[in-house]
Amino acid sequence: AATGRMKDQRRAVKAIKAHLEGAELTVPEISAATGLPASEVLYYVATLKKYGEILEGPKDGGYYRYRLGPAPAPIAEADPAE
């Protein structure tokens, strides 16, 4: 059951990020584009914002617009020669 939830979460995050490529969208717009419930989109957007993967833009009416943040830095691998 947990593996299925993780797959659903990865799929949702991937869909949200795909719709934010080159666009600034509000939570309701992301919800409409992905087919995910707005409450679920808000949860993922808040989490992605917390980790710097998406950025909060200007307010549009009652909602903020969100866009993709800078690409995360690659994880440095330990040099086996050291």
Side-chain angles (χ1 to χ4, degrees):
T3 303
R5 262 195 311 273
M6 288 173 60
K7 284 182 181 180
D8 290 343
Q9 289 173 345
R10 279 195 299 270
R11 197 174 302 122
V13 167
K14 188 175 180 179
I16 291 168
K17 287 181 169 184
H19 283 90
L20 288 175
E21 284 185 23
E24 281 193 356
L25 301 173
T26 63
V27 168
E29 291 169 339
I30 297 168
S31 175
T34 60
L36 296 168
S39 60
E40 199 172 315
V41 170
L42 182 60
Y43 170 80
Y44 290 123
V45 164
T47 303
L48 291 166
K49 180 182 163 201
K50 178 180 177 178
Y51 292 104
E53 294 192 40
I54 63 173
L55 303 172
E56 190 174 84
K59 201 163 186 182
D60 184 1
Y63 301 97
Y64 285 98
R65 294 203 160 273
Y66 295 94
R67 67 184 187 278
L68 286 179
I75 298 172
E77 294 185 25
D79 186 356
E82 290 180 358

